[in-house]
Amino acid sequence: MEDKIRVRATSAEYDVIIGSGILSDCGKIAKEVLKDQVKILLVSDTNVAPLYLDKVKASLEEAGMETYDFIFAAGEQSKNIDSISGMWDVMAKEGFTRSDAVLALGGGVAGDMAGFAAATFLRGIRVIQVPTSLLAMVDSAIGGKTGIDLPRAKNQVGAFLQPSVVIEDTDCLKTLSPELFTEGMGEVIKYAFIMDLPLYGRLKALADSGDAMGLSGKSEELEEIIKACVRDKADVIASDEFDSGRRQILNFGHTAGHVIESLSNYSLMHGVCVAKGMAVFTEAALAAGLMDQEERDKIIDLIRAFGLPVTDDTPSEKLVAGAMNDKKKRGSTLSLIFVNKIGSAEIVKMTSAEYLEFLSKRGI
Ligand code: GLY
């Protein structure tokens, strides 16, 4: 049974449709939201395309759409202007107009790039997000952030473009590698920490019963957890689509995490780096006396229970230097996200000197 969660952003409203086996309904759903007879550029990567591209294409063509595809080498290294230029090229060559659309089939990289190509081609055409990874289903496919990386920092060039619809077929998670599943849990756990005590309770119960690592095989439980995260994200987007306030709480773990990810030359996965970033802030908050030992243990224990790292030895100076490229920096001030009590987050502005002093409390 599929379920729909409505995202009410300021610039657009749309559904996130979640269910098992709904990939073959892509054509019907796309036709409902796009209305006209359209050309669709499918953007996918070399891991996902062999698994699902034919199915999605067939469904779209059956619904009367003309399909084209752009397949890029899987991995964050592809998230650059050359890939976008390749997408623009196909659309220009095939005579795409403003009534046509792009469809992202894959994880966060496919979604961010397809969205950016759509946001920029002809100054903006429509995009449909079809996330196939846990991370993309709970976070990146929703909310309209699109973009590419620059060598100096992740996601440094981009645009906002809300999707016309998000189609989440939970069956796709069955083919996800354990590593990709675990990295997605980094973002799932983040929602529990920043805003969702019931989700924390659910995840803690799994951890306490020794079932945390078996979650990928429990499809009903997993679907409920995904829906909780999507509801959380929809709630945040409804109050701050353009990241000028509350939406920044979604960046818990990301300020340090993005730097760790970029220093690893993207060899470490995003969700893994978010987990490290959450742990870095938690340890520093404990050392700074902003958090008590019991709360620190609850955060660290949950991250660890889902197979994610809880330590990082990147020197504080490097974490601060890297954060200077962060999009949340305004002038010389950084907006940092703190969770000092599970279930709520706080945005704190700090200068680079204050941030360095805070991180250095860890003794690294
Ligand atoms: N991934 C964080 C956001 O969408 O704001």
Side-chain angles (χ1 to χ4, degrees):
M1 237 278 287
E2 66 181 46
D3 216 341
K4 283 185 190 173
I5 296 170
R6 191 82 176 153
V7 181
R8 297 176 203 281
T10 315
S11 69
E13 285 194 15
Y14 54 93
D15 287 323
V16 180
I17 306 175
I18 304 165
S20 143
I22 62 173
L23 219 47
S24 46
D25 297 336
C26 273
K28 190 171 70 105
I29 299 169
K31 202 180 165 101
E32 266 165 35
V33 294
L34 299 176
K35 308 259 187 299
D36 343 272
Q37 212 57 33
V38 296
K39 293 179 181 171
I40 296 210
L41 177 70
L42 285 102
V43 173
S44 195
D45 72 28
T46 46
N47 288 340
V48 175
L51 298 171
Y52 305 122
L53 189 74
D54 286 350
K55 191 183 236 184
V56 173
K57 246 183 168 185
S59 167
L60 294 168
E61 283 169 6
E62 208 172 297
M65 288 161 207
E66 232 176 89
T67 64
Y68 301 87
D69 48 65
F70 181 89
I71 313 298
F72 61 89
E76 188 80 23
Q77 276 81 0
S78 292
K79 202 171 147 187
N80 56 42
I81 194 64
D82 293 338
S83 303
I84 299 296
S85 177
M87 295 172 208
W88 288 333
D89 226 39
V90 178
M91 291 192 277
K93 183 164 142 273
E94 302 300 343
F96 272 51
T97 69
R98 282 190 173 155
S99 52
D100 298 321
V102 181
L103 182 147
L105 176 67
V109 177
D112 283 8
M113 288 211 294
F116 188 57
T120 45
F121 189 73
L122 301 178
R123 296 205 182 88
I125 65 172
R126 294 168 295 179
V127 67
I128 290 178
Q129 294 285 351
V130 185
T132 58
S133 72
L134 178 61
L135 187 138
M137 285 184 192
V138 299
D139 182 39
S140 59
I142 308 155
K145 278 191 182 173
T146 77
I148 53 171
D149 302 332
L150 293 185
R152 277 171 184 277
K154 196 175 154 73
N155 294 336
Q156 232 183 3
V157 173
F160 284 99
L161 177 67
Q162 297 298 333
S164 300
V165 65
V166 184
I167 304 167
E168 307 199 343
D169 184 343
T170 49
D171 284 357
C172 295
L173 299 173
K174 292 182 182 153
T175 57
L176 211 58
S177 69
E179 291 76 23
L180 277 170
F181 187 84
T182 299
E183 83 135 347
M185 286 308 297
E187 295 283 2
V188 170
I189 292 170
K190 177 196 77 180
Y191 287 107
F193 291 157
I194 61 169
M195 64 188 291
D196 196 336
L197 267 179
L199 177 61
Y200 171 75
R202 202 185 255 269
L203 296 174
K204 184 172 181 318
L206 279 164
D208 288 348
S209 60
D211 271 351
M213 296 305 286
L215 177 60
S216 63
K218 296 176 183 288
S219 36
E220 277 176 34
E221 176 85 23
L222 182 57
E223 197 166 315
E224 288 312 310
I225 287 173
I226 292 171
K227 285 178 195 164
C229 297
V230 172
R231 270 185 228 106
D232 289 340
K233 181 125 192 197
D235 180 63
V236 172
I237 300 304
S239 62
D240 175 25
E241 176 179 355
F242 295 112
D243 220 8
S244 51
R246 182 170 176 238
R247 185 165 180 170
Q248 292 173 26
I249 66 171
L250 297 173
N251 281 321
F252 179 48
H254 285 59
T255 306
H258 276 167
V259 178
I260 295 166
E261 193 178 351
S262 142
L263 287 173
S264 80
N265 209 13
Y266 302 106
S267 62
L268 289 176
M269 286 190 264
H270 176 66
V272 167
C273 295
V274 168
K276 280 175 168 271
M278 293 191 291
V280 163
F281 266 45
T282 301
E283 299 297 8
L286 175 73
L290 300 169
M291 178 187 281
D292 61 36
Q293 184 72 42
E294 195 188 333
E295 208 65 9
R296 174 263 176 211
D297 292 350
K298 280 156 78 180
I299 290 181
I300 297 295
D301 289 351
L302 194 72
I303 299 174
R304 193 189 285 116
F306 283 91
L308 286 156
V310 290
T311 56
D312 184 76
D313 54 11
T314 310
S316 299
E317 289 77 11
K318 283 198 171 180
L319 290 177
V320 176
M324 292 300 110
N325 290 322
D326 195 278
K327 295 182 297 307
K328 305 296 172 302
K329 188 167 157 257
R330 301 267 195 278
S332 58
T333 309
L334 283 159
S335 289
L336 303 168
I337 313 307
F338 286 82
V339 171
N340 297 332
K341 189 123 193 79
I342 293 172
S344 68
E346 175 184 6
I347 306 171
V348 178
K349 299 208 183 306
M350 280 189 190
T351 61
S352 56
E354 288 165 338
Y355 184 36
L356 180 61
E357 192 189 337
F358 167 70
L359 289 177
S360 304
K361 303 258 189 233
R362 298 168 305 143
I364 301 173

